[in-house]
Amino acid sequence: MAFSDSAQEPAAPYGGAASSPKRVRIRHFQQAKRDGVKIVGLTSYDFLSAGIFDRAGIDFLLVGDSAGNTVFGYDTTLPVTVDELIPLTRAVARAAKRALVIADLPFGSYETNPREAVHTAIRFMKETGAHAVKLEGGERSAEQIRHIVASGIPVMAHVGFTPQAEHGLGGHVIQGRGEAGAEQLLRDAKAVEAAGAFAVVLEMVPSESARAVTEALSIPTISVGAGPHCDGQLLVWTDWAGFTTGRIPRFVKQYAQIGRDLEEAANAFREDVASGAYPAPEHEYE
């Protein structure tokens, strides 16, 4: 399925590999919700993976602060800095010819006041080539979102379980449960919509709570462990591709086992070098 667009810019296809490198834009998110087309996103932190996902027709690439875990080896996302994420975002933006590239604003870079939030968002836009930013928090972040949007920068919001606030939430705890939890989730989602966000991530919330929010909003909802009723789905690529080891979140479906394959390849390389099987004559220059 494809969106109808202006005569000046052909439709950007969704739901499969792109037939042309036309850019996905924030208006296509609104069209997706209206037309019932699912939006597909993955995280990415480097040029090579971003290029692969872009060619596969992934609609948006999030350079998440999950890089704290997947790239830098931190226990949480909290230590990640703007200066660490900027080169990763720049690499992804260089590779993406079609996908919308979204930069995550890390913890401590936007919470203090709207002016700080706008400053951080502008840095990402100027220094990386990203097309939008994402930040966590519902009602508590609405003013920051409003100011960033007013500066001309698109914002994807993030409510439900917000990893940057995991200590305040008591750990990796499902949000939006019970009547009070569902009501707060809806208030947060409506607050970011009113502030001007073009889409909102719902993370680790019950499917029925996510359904209620999706039906109540005019902007698309993107599920990270929020069930099938959202307008789109987003996964951390290292979880999705079997790169991550250890405990994998319940909501993740692994589509490959890259970690296992790389380990097997490394073992085979070590054994070939040790035995003298590599390099073979076909790998030599004359």
Side-chain angles (χ1 to χ4, degrees):
M1 187 179 294
F3 291 98
S4 297
D5 237 330
S6 68
Q8 289 75 29
E9 185 170 349
Y14 271 63
S19 58
S20 68
K22 299 307 297 183
R23 176 71 66 192
V24 174
R25 302 187 186 277
I26 62 170
R27 68 174 179 275
H28 297 131
F29 282 69
Q30 192 65 47
Q31 285 184 286
K33 185 176 182 76
R34 184 192 69 200
D35 296 341
V37 178
K38 294 292 187 179
I39 303 164
V40 184
L42 286 171
T43 65
S44 182
Y45 318 101
D46 65 274
F47 181 84
L48 292 178
S49 71
I52 292 168
F53 303 153
D54 190 65
R55 292 191 296 274
I58 299 300
D59 298 316
F60 73 95
L61 299 176
L62 171 66
V63 188
D65 62 359
S66 50
N69 310 108
T70 63
V71 176
F72 301 115
Y74 302 140
D75 291 334
T76 71
T77 63
L78 299 183
V80 180
T81 67
V82 172
D83 288 338
E84 287 174 324
L85 285 185
I86 279 179
L88 305 187
T89 309
R90 187 183 297 126
V92 171
R94 283 174 176 162
K97 307 303 180 187
R98 172 184 177 273
L100 188 82
V101 176
I102 303 172
D104 225 351
L105 303 191
F107 177 69
S109 70
Y110 62 90
E111 294 89 346
T112 302
N113 55 63
R115 182 175 180 179
E116 176 189 48
V118 172
H119 173 74
T120 303
I122 288 174
R123 275 202 67 189
F124 272 103
M125 300 297 283
K126 286 180 68 69
E127 298 180 33
T128 71
H131 311 114
V133 300
K134 182 179 80 65
L135 56 82
E136 295 183 2
E139 291 179 318
R140 66 181 170 85
S141 296
E143 195 63 23
Q144 283 90 329
I145 293 171
R146 187 173 293 109
H147 280 76
I148 295 173
V149 171
S151 73
I153 299 172
V155 175
M156 175 178 279
H158 184 156
V159 302
F161 176 72
T162 47
Q164 293 175 9
E166 69 168 281
H167 296 307
L169 295 173
H172 285 69
V173 179
I174 296 171
Q175 303 297 302
R177 278 181 164 165
E179 184 177 350
E183 288 176 355
Q184 182 60 57
L185 181 70
L186 183 57
R187 285 197 299 271
D188 282 334
K190 285 186 173 180
V192 299
E193 177 183 47
F198 72 88
V200 57
V201 170
L202 308 181
E203 181 167 355
M204 285 177 57
V205 302
S207 296
E208 289 307 309
S209 295
R211 184 206 291 267
V213 170
T214 300
E215 291 175 351
L217 296 188
S218 63
I219 62 173
T221 58
I222 307 296
S223 167
V224 178
H229 307 302
C230 292
D231 300 302
Q233 299 288 330
L234 168 67
L235 285 176
V236 172
W237 92 262
T238 50
D239 292 340
W240 160 89
F243 211 129
T244 306
T245 59
R247 183 178 177 273
I248 304 299
R250 171 189 174 93
F251 58 83
V252 172
K253 178 178 179 179
Q254 292 191 316
Y255 286 80
Q257 288 297 325
I258 290 178
R260 179 194 62 200
D261 293 345
L262 280 177
E263 185 173 350
E264 290 176 357
N267 279 323
F269 175 55
R270 175 183 51 78
E271 291 169 2
D272 278 2
V273 172
S275 69
Y278 177 83
E282 62 265 28
H283 305 122
E284 298 181 58
Y285 295 107
E286 294 185 359

